[in-house]
Every structure is written in C-alpha cells, then in structure tokens.
Amino acid sequence: MYTILKKELLNSNEIYLMEIHAPWIALGGQPGQFVIVIPHDKGERVPLTICDIHPERESIDIVYQVVGDSTRRLSLMVEGERLYSIVGPLGCRSELLAIPEEERQNMRLLFVAGGVGIAPVYPQVKWAYSLGIPTDVIIGARNKELLFFEDKMRKVCNNLYIMTDDGSYGEKGLVTEKIKSLCTNSEGSYASPYSHCVAIGPLPMMKFVSLLTKEIGLKTIVSMNCMMVDGTGMCGACRVTVGRKVKFTCVDGPEFDGHQVDFDEAGRRLKTPDAQRYRIATVGDDAPSGHRCNLSQAVAQAVTRQKPQEQDPLERARNFDEVSFGFTPEQAVAEARRCLHCKKPMCVTQCPVSIKIPDFIAAVAREDFAEAARIIAEDSSLPAVCGRVCPQENQCEGSCILGHKGEPIAIGALERFVADWKREQKSDFSEYSDYSENSERKKVAIIGSGPSGLTCAGDLAKKGYHVTIFEALHHAGGVLVYGIPEFRLPKQKVVEPEIANLRHLGVEIKTNVIVGKSITIDDLFDREGYKAVYIASGAGLPKFMGIPGETLVGVISANELLTRTNLMHGYDKTYDTPIYLGRRVAVIGGGNVAMDAARTAKRLGSDVTVIYRREEADMPARREEVHHAKEEGIQFNFLTNPVEFVDDGKGNVCGMRCVRMAMGEKDEKGRRKFTVVEGSEFDMEIDTVVVALGTSPNPLIKTTTPGLDTEPWGGLKADANGQTTRPGVFAGGDAVTGAATVILAMGAGRVAAKAIDEYLSRN
C-alpha cells in the first residue's frame, strides 16, 4: 500500500506527478476530490487533489508543488518507496458530475487552468470527453517552460488554447483575453457558446476569470484547494466566504460558485506566513495572471552551495596530505536538499558512466547514505576516485540548472562523501554485485589497470566473467597511482580500497606483466584460453616541444616528476627514490597534469611558475586546480611560449628563451588562434623545466599484435563500442582517444564491457 509507482518532474517550478498504489481510493475517487498525504512518520498532512485514477492498477495520480518541508521531503522520495499514509477520497466531487444526464445533452464546457491548477482540471476534462460533452480548454503560463500536461489534455478535449505571458508558445496574452475572444459574437457583443466554465489555478487568475464570466453571464466553478491545510476542516484554516457565508473548503468544497467567492479575503489569508508555509503559493503580485519567474525563485530557495573545509594554503603547500576534508554529514544533507530534481536531468546524460545522480542525491537528502551508495554502485566502480578528480564543472555540474542563475549542486563532493562514508563503515561496493564463483565462466583479459580497465573489469565480473587484469607496473591503478598526486587522490586511503572492491568481485590482478613483452595478445588467446581482450593501456608516452635544448639535464616530463613522486614516493624520505628539482622551476602547459606537476614541485620546496601560451580562460585545467595553485603561491605567466632552453655550458638547463603571444580569431574548432608578438623575445632564469604538454599511446601493443590497426597519431582504431579491427579485441580510454579524463576513460570501459558481453554471448 501507498507505494510510489511512478514519479515525474513536470516543469522547472518543482511541480511533480506521482502515481501511488492506493486501492481503496482508486475504487471510490472521483474528479474534484482530494487526498491527504503524509510522506513520513513525522511529516505534515498535505492535501492534494486527485489528478487521475487508474482502477486497473489500483492507483491514483497526484500532482504537487514543492513549497515547504513536507513537499520537499515528498519530492526526494523515489519510485518503490512507500508513503507513510494517504487518506481519501475527501471533499466533494466536481459539481459537473451532479448535473442530471438529460441536461448534459446541451452542455458545452470551457475549462481554464493555470499553474498547478492544470492537474485538477485534467480529470474533469477527461470525464467530459468520455461522455461526449464538447469541451474546450485554455491553459495559461508565463512561458513555455512552465507548461505541463499539454499532450494529455489535447487527447481529451475538442480545442486546446495555450496562452503565454511572453508569447514563447501558443498565443501571447492572458487567459481572460482568450475567454473574451471565444465568447464574443461577430457584432462585438458577449454571447457565450458555453454552458459552464471551470477555472482552477492561481487565485488572481480565478478572480479575474470569475469577474469576466459574471459579466458575460457564464456560470463559473472555481476550486479553492489552495486554501486547504488539514484536509478535514478541523483546523478551520480553510475558511472561505461564499455568497456572504463562511464555508470550509475541505468539507464543503473544494469547488464553489466563482461569482460568489470573496477572492480578496482569501488572498489576504493566503499571504499570512503560516499559510505560505503549508499551501501551494497561488497568490502572485504580478496580477492578473499570478505567474512568476519560477527558476529564479527555485534558485533563491536552494540556498548557498556548501563548501567543504580545506587545509590552509600555506600549510598544505608544505605537505602531501589531501587538500579537501570533504563534506560533513550535515553539509552533505544540506547540499543534497538543494537539488531541484529536474524532469530531464541533464546531469545524468552528461555523466560518461550515467550515474543516477538525482536518485542518489535524494537518498543523501533523506540521510539514507547506504541507499545512496547502492545507487552509485550500479554504475560506478570508482566513486571515491570520481568524486575527487572528475571535471564535474564540465560534465554533470556544468549542466545543472541551478548553475544557470546560481551555483550548481556539488555532485562530485556528494559522490565523494557517499563513497567515503561507505568505506568508513568497513564495507565495500562489491556487496551490491551478483557475483558468484563459477568454474565455467568465460575468461576475459584486461590490459592495464587504470580507470578504463578497472571499470571494464568490474562490470564484466558482475556479469559473471572470469576477469584478469595485466598491469605493467608493480602497483595496480595506472594513472590513479602514478599520475595523480597524493594531495588530490590519496593512494592507501582511496585508491587501494577501490581496487580491493574489484578483487572481492573475483577480479584477478597480475602486476609486472608487460603485454607485448612478457606475453602477447596472441598468447592470451591461444595459450591462456582468454575469449576476449580489452586494451586499456592508456597514453603513457610524454610529448615534448621539439625546440633546442630539450635534452639538457633538468628538462624533464611531468610524467617523470609525478611517477617518481606518486608511485615511487619520492617525497617520502624513508623511500630511496631520488628527486632533484632546482629552486626555480618552470612548468610548461595549462592542463590538469601541469597543475599537478606545479603543485607537486611547490611541495618539494621549489619556486614554481606555470608557463602557458594562451590566456587563463583558455586553460583546460579544472578551475578548482588553478584556484588551489594560486592559493599555494604558484605564479602564472600567460601568453608566453618557450622557443629554446638555455645551456649553462655544462649540459644543464639554466634558463628559457620565450616569446609573448597574442590571441586572434577562433579556428574551426571554436578555439582562438595565437600568433607571436614581434620583438617580444625575453629570457627567464630557470633551474628545472617540467614539460606537461600531453601524452600519446605506447606503440608496444600495436607492434606485437597482427591485425590491430592504428590511427596516424598512434591511437588504436576502434568503433563506438570499442571493437578494434581484430575480432575479440576491444580497446578504449586514452589508448584510443589520446590523453583525456578519468571519467571519460571509465565511460569507455563501461561501453566496452557491454560490447564484450554481447560478443561472447554470440560466440
């Protein structure tokens, strides 16, 4: 009972539809009646009009708008959950249903709806249509984005007229203007073709419709459901004066004669703070329509984005401890409750692994962290990693509607919080898998244990395959271990537990195996019995500039610096790994790897300057990383490009010869071109140069695997599903696309896992 069978966000004004399993109400409910919903055991009683009835499913539809604590909690509930209570049907059925059948033969109805009032109008229109009564409907809204039920309404009426304040859809104007045009004859006089008018919507709209129809002489019914609080009449807050008599909306209504209602008195009652807390806000100061800019209001109600605590910049610049402490439980819940739960959540479509973001955020908002973890685990094998290093501002958070007029939901920080909470409970995400040991499982080999390989392995293991990862280094994790610094992604605390989760799924990880040297792909098939191979070897070969002096001592790649520091713990004096950086270090590049290298060099004691040939706004690095780098004292030299590294006469670098750059017009990809400023050459004194200009795939696998085609730049050729030019061999991530982000590599791993499963099912 009371299970939520369906939930849908209808528009950006936080208006939701819910289908609820309620057999008794479905059996006896009629158009015009309402129910009392209590979302949870401590929730308020929320009166909501029945929008539709489904006897065959023993369910009803309700439509509500988020205006207070209980409706907010209601909006956070998901399909499958149960409401604490739902009581009904209550109130009187629509007056139209009481009209004798013989009178219905001459009826022609006009319905006028606005805002949430569109919902209670629908069942009455549907009823009239089922009896063959001619029916026209006028829907009013400020703009197209605030409309809902248009398609449903068109199916059950003779004519549907859309009126928008801004003219963005349908006709421009108020609903009253359309009523005038429909009820005016060729001579310019009022002559209504309708027998009855039903108006439901914002109070000002119903008032002005009633004033007009009274002048026309058209009987009008209005619904005062906006007055209801308790739903039984016992609180008396639903009082409304009708024909100089006090009526109780919950008992006597909710429908009354619009020509008799004292709308001004009702408006005053609805403006009290207590009424505004409980009821749907149907009073607007933008009369006569009552419509308002809903997105601005929603953003204003969404409060300020939570900010996780961080280490002090001066302190953290001297250590390798994680910069951000992450959300507290209180912060996570507060941030989750900012979510608007959009009808079309772009955050999900922009997530390369399609995490059900609104669902897990809703669980966090309910303080059900275990459920949030379960939801994330359906789509991500590395949530603690993604929550820390994914460029959310360009993906899920970048598409958040709150970001249009305010700050987006901190999706990454919430994902991190859930993953960290789960880990602290001494449990892992593998418990959500259906994995079981089976000696008959087909074997799949994964080459590389970076994010793409780990993701593919996890998805295949959950499907029952025997998965083995072959890793060239002595530690699994790929770029997560050797490329991303400890202060952004702790290895023992975060990466190792994520990898342990895969081992719990049955994934076998073999380190120190260089495919192409230790063993070939042909060996994996012919000798080891693997039925499919996924190449996720990444793009580990660093690129250099090709300018004079590049072979001088002291000119190194970011890969070298980061591998020595991260994988080999060069920053830790108890390890034997040597790292030498001079006092003055220049890092060339503007991406995330450049920021990682610069911030690492700073922690190793150097004065660091980042050299970038474009402007700051053009940097591909995450804004957060650039901000952190500046806080830590790293200098930036924009519109600057090295043309030569200077020799000190002993084979060591001692400086850089640079030129200034100027930005020009955009190229065919939309990025601005740049040119050298004539006569701008200058020298910089430098002790160490770190080149962070990207990486390319290692050619080892392609040169040892017959039938494996590659792109001219070195990447493996693969289709959209990861299938290479050799049957049974799939590839994805940086090995195919070139250097990209962790989450994009994970997305490729998920796609490949699905393709491999389909391939092995056929073979």
Side-chain angles (χ1 to χ4, degrees), residues 34 36 38 45 47 90 227-239 247-252 269 279:
F34 63 94
I36 293 294
I38 305 177
R45 296 169 62 87
L90 300 171
M227 303 297 296
M228 296 189 298
V229 174
D230 175 76
T232 64
M234 62 182 293
C235 71
C238 65
R239 298 188 309 278
K247 300 286 187 179
F248 290 87
T249 303
C250 298
V251 177
D252 302 314
R269 294 178 64 82
R279 301 182 178 102

Side-chain angles (χ1 to χ4, degrees), residues 139-157:
I139 293 178
R142 178 175 286 276
N143 55 51
K144 182 180 179 180
E145 296 300 316
L146 303 183
L147 293 171
F148 63 92
F149 274 16
E150 178 187 357
D151 292 340
K152 290 167 70 77
M153 204 73 82
R154 287 192 187 278
K155 294 177 181 178
V156 294
C157 70

Side-chain angles (χ1 to χ4, degrees), residues 481-492:
V481 170
Y482 75 76
I484 302 176
E486 185 80 11
F487 53 81
R488 284 184 60 207
L489 185 63
K491 307 302 177 281
Q492 292 296 322

